[in-house]
Amino acid sequence: MSQKDDMQHSGKKKVRRRRPAGTEAVSSGGRKKPVKRRTSSQSENGKSARNAKYASEKNAGGSRRRRESSRASHQEEKKNKISRNVGLGIAAVQLIATIVFMAGVFMLNMLPTTYVVVISILLLLFWGIILASQFFSKKNAVTGKVISVLITIILIIGSYFLFKASDTISDISGGDYKLDNVVVAVLADDPAEGIEDAADYTFGVQYAMNGDQITQTVEAINSELGNGAEINTVEYNSLAEQAQALHDGEVDAIIYNEGYTGILEEAFEGYAQNTKVIYTHSIKSQIENQSVDVEVQDEAFSVYISGIDVFGAIETNSRSDVNIIAVVNPKTHQILLVTTPRDYYVEIPGVSGGQKDKLTHAGIYGVDASMATLEELYDTELEFYARVNFTSLIEIVDALGGVDVESEYAFTTSSDSGMVINVNQGTNHFNGEEALAFSRERQNVPGGDNQRGKDQQAVITAMIKKMVSPAILTGANGILNSVSGNVETNMSQSQIQELIKTQLSEGASWNITSMAAEGTGDNQYCYSYSGSPLYVMQPNQASVDAIKEAITAVENGETLEGTSTQ
């Protein structure tokens, strides 16, 4: 057994011995391998090279980190600069929106000075905070930018409504003219569709009422037909004779003021359905305005409220179905509402020449004729008027969120009122259509036309209560939309602004008292239509005298028994 086998057998491993330094390695063939030896200088040079390489790599890493840090810092600075510029741009837009908003506030001129100062300070404070956040915030001031955008949006929307309100008040105020529409009517089955188709027709005319308007219209027709044409006319003594002549075929067409259409419908059943209008000539005339010097915040004044149903321009003369006087004392915060039945049998000063007519017919001759009639009836002065297209009542009431109306009686309205509803005695919450039906009903309510006037007052009282409450703010847009083109007044824009500003400043409650002129039904000939007697109401002088006393009392600063707006 060899030595190797002995070692394996004994379990011992072969140990390789280190060669002593300086000896030479022997190859398997027995030859010695040469050993390279390092000198001390070579060792030192290697160590220095390694150290230099490490230092170089360390310096290169540090330089790289510094460059990366510098690059990151530069990028962060650039990012912050962009964010700041965006923030400054948003703040600039907010400042412009603030300026436009405040311009709208000053143009509207309805807020008390205290309100304007507080709003201005708050808006400038908001803007200053937003601006400062863009300079001093260590982050991107995202919150400040979001708040600025929201404020800007609110200001833009607010500015829109401010300018819209100002334009609406400008549109409805300062009324100083009235509009008469003179029409040419033919039978409904007539082939003529325009005035050119009726060039060879015979026209029935009458010059007893508004004769100058008929003359102007005939001239306008001749001018429109051209070539020196002159239409053939036959003169009648009254509107009734004209209408009868058209019905009997004596004339092919008749020329009359459109305001008389309602009277013709009273006299001739189905008149509107049996005729058609083929030509309209509009005549505008000035109304003397005596209200310009009234200080509405200090002086008692009266407003004639005329409720009409017209299509087209609100200034068009037409019968007035609602005739209410509002006597207002801004010092005592007292309002007296006086309603006069539409069929009251009275004289129309400067028009009827001493003959009597229905009060509603006075509107045909202009709102100034209606005012003169009521001034003479109650021996008072009416400084202002407000013509309201009562169909707009629906939109106004709906914009206010409905109104709570007090009814003296329980009844069901007829279909003629526009809507059949059950009315409870006491408080009723009405929407727009229901309020209009309630104020129109006179057939099924006790007292007929007398009670209808009281019910109209009840609706107006309910609306006033809502308009001096916060509901006016929530429904502002709907109210503005509904009154535009449906309301007209001779009160100036500055007077309306002063009234609203005073109310906002004082926030006072108003005492509202309602009175109604009374009378008895009758049939009489009327100035505006002499063809046959029409239903009228003979005035009850005792009720007229009581109203005169109440008007004087309010003007003198007395407070009457009534309902508070609070």
Side-chain angles (χ1 to χ4, degrees):
M1 183 179 296
S2 67
Q3 185 179 1
K4 180 177 179 182
D5 293 335
D6 290 339
M7 292 179 64
Q8 289 176 346
H9 181 76
S10 62
K12 294 181 180 179
K13 293 182 179 180
K14 181 180 180 179
V15 178
R16 180 176 294 178
R17 298 180 180 273
R18 285 182 180 250
R19 225 176 14 253
T23 61
E24 295 179 350
V26 180
S27 64
S28 58
R31 288 178 299 182
K32 297 181 178 179
K33 293 182 180 180
V35 178
K36 294 183 179 180
R37 302 176 184 272
R38 278 188 184 178
T39 64
S40 60
S41 61
Q42 287 177 330
S43 297
E44 290 296 329
N45 289 338
K47 185 176 181 180
S48 298
R50 287 193 300 274
N51 289 340
K53 181 178 180 182
Y54 174 76
S56 175
E57 290 176 351
K58 183 177 181 181
N59 290 337
S63 177
R64 184 168 59 253
R65 285 193 295 273
R66 284 195 297 274
R67 285 196 302 271
E68 290 175 354
S69 176
S70 176
R71 188 181 302 112
S73 177
H74 178 71
Q75 289 175 348
E76 184 70 19
E77 182 179 346
K78 184 177 180 181
K79 184 178 180 181
N80 289 339
K81 185 177 181 180
I82 293 173
S83 177
R84 186 180 299 111
N85 289 337
V86 171
L88 293 176
I90 293 175
V93 174
Q94 180 184 337
L95 178 61
I96 294 172
T98 299
I99 294 172
V100 173
F101 179 84
M102 291 309 301
V105 170
F106 283 109
M107 180 177 292
L108 187 61
N109 192 27
M110 287 185 181
L111 297 180
T113 303
T114 304
Y115 288 28
V116 175
V117 171
V118 171
I119 292 173
S120 300
I121 293 174
L122 288 176
L123 289 177
L124 287 175
L125 185 62
F126 287 148
W127 179 74
I129 293 173
I130 296 299
L131 186 65
S133 70
Q134 304 307 309
F135 284 104
F136 301 111
S137 176
K138 294 181 180 180
K139 296 183 179 181
N140 292 330
V142 175
T143 302
K145 293 181 178 67
V146 172
I147 294 174
S148 180
V149 170
L150 291 176
I151 292 175
T152 301
I153 292 173
I154 293 172
L155 290 172
I156 291 173
I157 295 174
S159 299
Y160 167 77
F161 285 113
L162 287 172
F163 284 104
K164 182 178 181 179
S166 183
D167 289 343
T168 299
I169 293 173
S170 177
D171 289 341
I172 69 175
S173 64
D176 59 356
Y177 73 92
K178 55 186 178 181
L179 192 67
D180 285 283
N181 287 330
V182 182
V183 299
V184 174
V186 298
L187 294 176
D189 57 359
D190 193 289
E193 296 296 334
I195 195 63
E196 64 280 354
D197 300 326
D200 57 349
Y201 281 17
T202 299
F203 294 79
V205 297
Q206 63 84 27
Y207 298 101
M209 297 183 297
N210 295 330
D212 56 337
Q213 296 178 357
I214 304 302
T215 300
Q216 290 182 45
T217 303
V218 170
E219 292 175 353
I221 293 173
N222 289 335
S223 176
E224 186 160 335
L225 293 176
N227 298 322
E230 288 189 10
I231 60 173
N232 182 37
T233 61
V234 175
E235 184 177 351
Y236 293 91
N237 294 322
S238 67
L239 181 67
E241 292 183 7
Q242 267 186 292
Q244 192 63 51
L246 178 63
H247 180 270
D248 295 341
E250 294 179 12
V251 294
D252 303 301
I254 56 175
I255 303 174
Y256 63 96
N257 189 307
E258 188 180 34
Y260 292 121
T261 301
I263 300 176
L264 292 173
E265 289 176 349
E266 286 184 71
F268 296 92
E269 186 177 353
Y271 174 81
Q273 290 75 26
N274 294 324
T275 61
K276 65 180 180 181
V277 173
I278 63 171
Y279 178 78
T280 301
H281 176 62
S282 298
I283 301 172
K284 181 186 291 187
S285 53
Q286 292 294 124
I287 299 176
E288 184 179 357
N289 191 348
Q290 299 177 344
S291 66
V292 290
D293 297 326
V294 179
E295 298 292 337
V296 293
Q297 71 275 22
D298 297 318
E299 303 175 21
F301 60 89
S302 296
V303 183
Y304 166 55
I305 302 173
S306 171
I308 59 177
D309 283 320
V310 297
F311 295 97
I314 186 69
E315 301 86 3
T316 305
N317 289 337
S318 67
R319 295 184 307 167
S320 180
D321 290 330
V322 178
N323 299 278
I324 295 175
I325 298 173
V327 186
V328 182
N329 192 318
K331 289 294 186 183
T332 60
H333 299 101
Q334 171 71 54
I335 298 176
L336 171 63
L337 296 178
V338 176
T339 185
T340 309
R342 66 189 294 278
D343 294 322
Y344 235 40
Y345 198 47
V346 291
E347 294 182 16
I348 305 176
V351 175
S352 65
Q355 297 183 52
K356 291 188 176 183
D357 204 340
K358 292 187 180 190
L359 173 60
T360 185
H361 292 170
I364 298 171
Y365 308 100
V367 66
D368 50 343
S370 296
M371 293 172 72
T373 302
L374 292 171
E375 285 177 335
E376 184 172 280
L377 178 64
Y378 297 118
D379 192 21
T380 188
E381 290 185 7
L382 304 179
E383 292 85 3
F384 301 106
Y385 71 82
R387 302 187 79 212
V388 181
N389 195 338
F390 250 56
T391 54
S392 65
L393 179 72
I394 297 175
E395 299 174 16
I396 297 174
V397 170
D398 286 340
L400 290 170
V403 290
D404 295 323
V405 180
E406 297 294 326
S407 176
E408 290 186 43
Y409 302 101
F411 61 93
T412 300
T413 61
S414 64
S415 58
D416 290 341
S417 68
M419 185 180 189
V420 177
I421 60 172
N422 294 318
V423 178
N424 300 317
Q425 185 177 21
T427 304
N428 297 264
H429 184 79
F430 292 145
N431 61 25
E433 290 186 350
E434 292 167 342
L436 183 60
F438 174 78
S439 64
R440 279 177 166 171
E441 183 58 43
R442 64 173 174 171
Q443 295 180 14
N444 295 345
V445 63
D449 198 48
N450 282 330
Q451 187 58 39
R452 180 171 71 162
K454 295 178 182 179
D455 291 342
Q456 291 166 353
Q457 285 181 335
V459 172
I460 291 177
T461 299
M463 291 174 66
I464 292 174
K465 288 182 178 181
K466 269 297 187 75
M467 286 181 176
V468 296
S469 73
I472 190 69
L473 299 177
T474 57
N477 187 47
I479 294 171
L480 291 174
N481 289 333
S482 60
V483 301
S484 183
N486 288 307
V487 176
E488 183 224 3
T489 178
N490 64 335
M491 189 175 285
S492 68
Q493 183 170 355
S494 61
Q495 288 169 325
I496 296 175
Q497 291 168 333
E498 199 60 44
L499 270 178
I500 298 176
K501 185 187 296 184
T502 301
Q503 176 61 30
L504 289 174
S505 179
E506 298 177 355
S509 63
W510 289 78
N511 186 62
I512 304 175
T513 304
S514 298
M515 298 183 72
E518 298 177 352
T520 54
D522 194 6
N523 286 283
Q524 294 289 339
Y525 285 94
C526 296
Y527 166 75
S528 299
Y529 186 81
S530 57
S532 61
L534 300 177
Y535 174 81
V536 300
M537 181 174 289
Q538 296 287 357
N540 180 308
Q541 193 58 42
S543 69
V544 172
D545 292 339
I547 291 171
K548 288 181 182 180
E549 292 177 6
I551 292 175
T552 302
V554 173
E555 291 174 343
N556 291 338
E558 298 180 31
T559 300
L560 308 178
E561 183 179 350
T563 304
S564 174
T565 56
Q566 287 189 342

